Amino acid sequence: MTTAAATRWDGRMRAYLGGYMLSAIGNGLVLPLTVIYLTSARHLTASQLGVYFGTLAVTGLLFNPVAGHLVDRFGSRSMLLLAMTGQATGWMALSAFTHWPWPLVSAVLIGLSNELFFSSQLAFLERVLGPEALPRIFAAQHRVANLVVAVPALFSGILVSGMGDNMLRWFIMANGLTFLLFAGVLAYISRGTTLRASEAAPDSGTRPGSVLTPYRDRRFVPLLLVQFCVVAFAMAQLDTVVPALLQASVADAAAMASVLIASNGVAVFIIGGRARAFAQRIKEPKALALAFVLWGAGIPLLAVCLQDHGSPLRWVLVACYGAYFALPEVLVAPSLKPLAAKLSPARLKGRYGAAISFAYSLGLLCGPPLTFGLAGTDTTPALIIMAVGSVLGLGAAVLLHAEGRKERSPVHNASAAVS
C-alpha cells in the first residue's frame, strides 16, 4: 500500500470510527433509560412494555432473510444508509409519539433498521476499506464501544435525575440525530468507491442463491455455531445472568455488577490492540478456539466471586473476573466477522452477513432464558451451563479449523478440480 493510499485508508477508518463513536454515545445516553422513558413519560404498562420489546426483537428476526436479499440486490451502501435513516426516524418518532399503540411503529422501524444495518455492515466495510482492514476495524470498533457507552449512560442518569421526563425525551431525539450524522459519515467515506464483485448487477454472473444458502454451506455453519455460542453462553451471560447470580448472593449486587462491567470495558480498551495482532498471527479459527478455552477456564474464578463469604476481597475478585473476561472477548472481535467475510461468496455478502446477525440474535434470545429456565439463580447449575456452552463453542471452532484445513489441502483441491 502506497503512502497516499495508506493515508486515505487511515482517514476513512478514523472517520468511520468517529461516526460509530457518535452513535454509540447516543445509544449510551438512552439505552439504560428507555424503559424509564416508556413507563414514566409515556405511561406504558408492564404488558405494553413487553409487547414493545417483543415487537423490536421479533421484527428483526422475521426481517433477517429479507435484509440479506436486499443487500445483495441493491448493494450494501444504499442499504446501510437506509438503515441509518430508519434508525433515526424510529428514535425520533419514539420521542414524539404519546399514546399507545403508536410506539410500536418506532419498534418496527428500529427493528427493521437494526437488521438491515448488521446485514449490510460486513459487505460495506469490506468494500470501502478492503478485506485486509476488517480485523483492525472490528477490533477498534469493539474497543470504542466499550469505552464510550458506559460514560454517557452515567452522565444521562445524573442529568435525568435532576431534570425529569422532558430531558428523557430530548435524549431520545438526540440519539436519532446521531444516526443521521453517522449516515453522513458513511456516505462521505464511501463516495467514489469502486464497485466490488459483491456489488455487481444481479444478472452479471453466477446464480444468486437463496436465503438458506449460508445454512447449507458446511464451511460456514461452524462459524454460525461459534457466533451463537459466543453470545448465548458468554457475552449475554455476563450482561444478564452473572449480575442476577451476584444479586442472589450479595446485598450490594448493583454496585458490584457495575464494577464487573466497568473493569471489563477498561480491560477491553487496554488490551484490544495487542490481542488483535496476536489473533491475526495465530489465525482466526485458533483464536476463536482459544477464546472458548479461556472462557471455560475462567469459570472457577467466577465461582469464587459468587461465594457469599462477605470479604472485601470479593470486590477485587469481581473486578479481576471482569478484566479476565475481556481476554477471550478481544480475540473474538478481530476474528469472527473478518472470517465470515473470507468465507462469504462475493455475490452473497448480504445473505451471509444476515446469517451471522441471525445467529447473534438467536444467541441473545436463547442464552439467558435457557440458564434462568434450567438453573434459576442457583450458582452451580448456571456455571455448568456456561461450561457446557464453552465446550460446544470450542467444538464448533475446532470443526471450523478442520474445514479450513480440508479446504486448503492439495488432495481436496485436486479432487474438487476433477469433479
Side-chain angles (χ1 to χ4, degrees):
M1 183 181 293
T2 65
T3 302
T7 301
R8 287 195 301 271
W9 182 84
D10 284 340
R12 286 179 174 181
M13 180 175 173
R14 285 195 296 269
Y16 173 82
L17 288 175
Y20 181 82
M21 180 182 292
L22 189 64
S23 67
I25 290 173
N27 275 321
L29 285 171
V30 302
L31 289 181
L33 303 172
T34 303
V35 172
I36 299 173
Y37 170 76
L38 291 173
T39 54
S40 175
R42 294 298 175 244
H43 311 294
L44 267 63
T45 65
S47 60
Q48 290 171 338
L49 202 62
V51 171
Y52 174 85
F53 285 106
T55 300
L56 193 65
V58 171
T59 299
L61 284 175
L62 293 179
F63 185 61
N64 177 271
V66 179
H69 172 77
L70 291 175
V71 174
D72 290 332
R73 176 66 178 83
F74 297 105
S76 60
R77 183 180 188 270
S78 57
M79 291 299 101
L80 196 59
L81 295 179
L82 180 62
M84 291 295 97
T85 305
Q87 285 274 17
T89 304
W91 282 105
M92 286 191 285
L94 188 62
S95 71
F97 290 146
T98 56
H99 300 294
W100 183 262
W102 285 109
L104 293 182
V105 176
S106 299
V108 170
L109 280 172
I110 295 170
L112 294 176
S113 302
N114 271 336
E115 200 57 50
L116 197 57
F117 172 81
F118 288 113
S119 298
S120 309
Q121 183 192 34
L122 193 60
F124 176 86
L125 292 176
E126 187 179 27
R127 171 190 169 190
V128 173
L129 300 178
E132 69 284 348
L134 294 182
R136 182 178 175 187
I137 194 71
F138 280 114
Q141 182 175 288
H142 187 61
R143 295 175 71 194
V144 164
N146 278 271
L147 177 67
V148 303
V149 169
V151 174
L154 176 63
F155 180 68
S156 63
I158 293 172
L159 281 182
V160 168
S161 65
M163 303 187 72
D165 293 342
N166 196 46
M167 181 60 70
L168 278 171
R169 186 173 69 85
W170 284 108
F171 278 153
I172 297 288
M173 183 176 293
N175 186 44
L177 291 174
T178 65
F179 285 105
L180 282 182
L181 293 172
F182 192 20
V185 171
L186 296 174
Y188 172 76
I189 66 173
S190 60
R191 71 195 192 288
T193 303
T194 303
L195 291 178
R196 294 179 182 270
S198 59
E199 308 290 330
D203 59 352
S204 63
T206 59
R207 295 173 59 188
S210 74
V211 295
L212 297 178
T213 300
Y215 306 98
R216 296 169 179 162
D217 187 339
R218 68 180 186 183
R219 300 176 309 152
F220 198 73
V221 168
L223 187 61
L224 294 176
L225 294 175
V226 166
Q227 173 71 95
F228 173 81
C229 291
V230 163
V231 177
F233 301 110
M235 305 302 298
Q237 301 285 330
L238 183 75
D239 292 338
T240 57
V241 175
V242 174
L245 297 177
L246 284 170
Q247 188 174 26
S249 62
V250 66
D252 48 1
M256 198 166 284
S258 298
V259 169
L260 174 75
I261 301 302
S263 62
N264 175 257
V266 170
V268 166
F269 183 75
I270 292 174
I271 66 176
R274 293 182 181 274
R276 173 185 59 82
F278 176 73
Q280 287 183 274
R281 187 161 62 248
I282 66 174
K283 304 304 180 185
E284 294 94 340
K286 290 182 180 178
L288 294 171
L290 179 58
F292 285 109
V293 170
L294 290 172
W295 269 318
I299 289 177
L301 175 59
L302 177 58
V304 174
C305 293
L306 296 174
Q307 295 299 314
D308 189 13
H309 46 67
S311 168
L313 179 62
R314 188 178 191 182
W315 291 85
V316 177
L317 292 173
V318 168
C320 288
Y321 180 73
Y324 175 86
F325 192 93
L327 292 174
E329 246 185 290
V330 294
L331 290 175
V332 170
S335 302
L336 200 151
K337 288 188 177 180
L339 184 56
K342 290 181 182 179
L343 296 177
S344 305
R347 289 182 52 76
L348 298 178
K349 296 291 183 182
R351 289 176 174 89
Y352 276 67
I356 285 290
S357 177
F358 182 80
Y360 182 96
S361 299
L362 196 62
L364 284 178
L365 288 176
C366 294
L370 177 66
T371 303
F372 286 131
L374 296 179
T377 55
D378 292 336
T379 298
T380 301
L383 295 180
I384 290 173
I385 291 171
M386 293 181 204
V388 170
S390 296
V391 172
L392 291 175
L394 176 60
V398 170
L399 181 60
L400 184 65
H401 178 65
E403 286 293 334
R405 292 187 63 181
K406 187 188 303 182
E407 194 71 21
R408 292 189 299 269
S409 68
V411 174
H412 181 271
N413 292 339
S415 63
V418 171
S419 63

